[in-house]
Amino acid sequence: SPVSPIHVYTPREVYGTVGSRVTLSCSFWSSEWISEDISITWHFQAEGTRDSISIFHFAKGQPYIDDVGSFKERMEWAGNPRRRDGSIVIHGLEPSDNGTFTCDVKNPP
């Protein structure tokens, strides 16, 4: 079956201050319709490490915050897949939140 790309857009850098909140924007575009099976996963790689952990999933129409790491009590779903938005909010920023966040979108046929 043919495969169509999904273009995912995130800001190159996002800044926040300790104790504040920050929105991690993730927008996407696909030439295909957005299916009910769309999934969005956010990963985090702490600065100076090689390992990436999954911190958030959106699947089957529901947000799921991974029960691992320091983000589990501080995350909020801010996206709307029908509007091609997979954004999340992190509250109570900590110095250890510095690193690389990756938004991965899958739109199965």
Side-chain angles (χ1 to χ4, degrees):
S1 65
V3 175
S4 297
I6 296 178
H7 300 272
V8 179
Y9 305 96
T10 59
R12 182 169 176 79
E13 293 185 352
V14 176
Y15 297 94
T17 55
V18 172
S20 69
R21 68 182 221 156
V22 67
T23 299
L24 300 179
S25 299
C26 173
S27 60
F28 54 91
W29 181 87
S30 173
S31 60
E32 301 298 319
W33 61 279
I34 304 303
S35 84
E36 294 297 320
D37 292 329
I38 191 166
S39 68
I40 300 166
T41 304
W42 278 91
H43 298 275
F44 173 67
Q45 182 180 352
E47 187 174 44
T49 67
R50 298 177 127 187
D51 296 331
S52 176
I53 61 167
S54 172
I55 60 171
F56 177 88
H57 297 284
F58 179 91
K60 299 189 186 319
Q62 296 293 317
Y64 300 95
I65 297 170
D66 286 4
D67 195 25
V68 69
S70 66
F71 296 103
K72 63 183 173 187
E73 305 284 327
R74 302 183 295 127
M75 293 185 63
E76 173 187 352
W77 171 239
N80 181 337
R82 291 276 169 230
R83 293 191 173 141
R84 293 169 169 72
D85 182 3
S87 302
I88 58 173
V89 177
I90 299 176
H91 297 271
L93 289 177
E94 301 172 358
S96 60
D97 295 342
N98 197 26
T100 302
F101 293 84
T102 307
C103 177
D104 180 32
V105 180
K106 292 184 174 73
N107 186 31

